[in-house]
Amino acid sequence: MSDEATSVPRIVVGVDGSEPSKAALRWAVSQARLTGGVVDAVIAWDFPTPWFGLTPPTDTDPTDYQKQARKILDQAIDEALGPGPGRPVDLRPVSAHGHPAAVLLDAAEGAQLLVVGNRGRGGFSEALLGSVGQHCVQHAPCPVVVVRGRGHGA
């Protein structure tokens, strides 16, 4: 038997605090409960991009961005699943530096499933599928489930 066949199924879910990402988290936890799997709830963070010659402050400590991302992730988990311990599956929060699509694709290596919301916090609220979700669907190393948020059939 291979290591993959004997290991616990791992589901990666992208969480950015948006309603679709919280719906994706709930779906991933439900699926993990059915399969006896674990859930890696992943949020990506990056430094602000210079825009029209404006640059972000260089004196900001990267751990500040990491801590803020983790705070957003923890809050989204509590809002989606309820606060505190006693969750029905092993849920592992992950905060990683990089572009969200790249971070999710890296995290999905070796996973059984990648789950994303149909769109995140981007500016195109009328899009059926956001750019991160679309990139993940096209390039993921595993099957991808796209979950719509509240108000969109969820």
Side-chain angles (χ1 to χ4, degrees):
M1 231 187 257
S2 72
D3 287 340
E4 190 172 300
T6 60
S7 66
V8 175
R10 185 170 63 90
I11 298 172
V12 174
V13 59
V15 180
D16 66 0
S18 66
E19 284 305 317
S21 78
K22 288 186 254 184
L25 177 60
R26 287 188 291 273
W27 192 94
V29 167
S30 293
Q31 183 65 21
R33 187 179 316 137
L34 292 172
T35 62
V38 300
V39 175
D40 289 343
V42 179
I43 189 168
W45 64 273
D46 208 349
F47 298 103
T49 304
W51 189 61
F52 289 112
L54 301 174
T55 57
T58 56
D59 60 344
T60 304
D61 185 353
T63 57
D64 292 343
Y65 292 105
Q66 176 84 11
K67 287 177 185 174
Q68 182 62 26
R70 181 58 193 264
K71 181 178 176 183
I72 291 167
L73 177 60
D74 290 343
Q75 181 177 349
I77 290 169
D78 287 348
E79 289 173 2
L81 304 175
R87 301 218 162 91
V89 299
D90 184 10
L91 180 68
R92 304 182 296 201
V94 178
S95 175
H97 174 249
H99 185 275
V103 166
L104 290 173
L105 293 178
D106 285 346
E109 283 294 329
Q112 185 180 49
L113 193 62
L114 173 60
V115 184
V116 295
N118 67 312
R119 60 184 177 78
R121 294 192 171 274
F124 299 104
S125 63
E126 298 305 315
L128 295 176
L129 183 60
S131 60
V132 171
Q134 184 169 352
H135 192 86
C136 288
V137 166
Q138 292 174 335
H139 301 286
C142 62
V144 179
V145 172
V146 179
V147 178
R148 295 183 68 143
R150 286 196 172 107
H152 298 284

